[in-house]
Amino acid sequence: MESPYLIILALIAIVLLVGVTGGVVYLTLADWRDRRRREDETRELKHSTAKRR
């Protein structure tokens, strides 16, 4: 018979693992989205500057 403490610790470890993984995925996607937005703004700024000339 397994100790109930081991089951509780295993569940806590799984929950923490899922939480940390979710956080990493969120931060990665947010960074990708922000980088894409900055690149689009830079491209648009260069394009509008070229039109004025």
Side-chain angles (χ1 to χ4, degrees), residues 17-31:
L17 182 64
V18 168
V20 169
T21 303
V24 169
V25 168
Y26 171 76
L27 290 174
T28 302
L29 290 175
D31 183 51

Side-chain angles (χ1 to χ4, degrees), residues 23-42:
V24 169
V25 168
Y26 171 76
L27 290 174
T28 302
L29 290 175
D31 183 51
W32 174 77
R33 184 187 63 222
D34 291 344
R35 190 178 319 126
R36 203 173 103 202
R37 186 181 307 141
R38 279 192 307 258
E39 289 172 357
D40 288 345
E41 288 175 356
T42 304

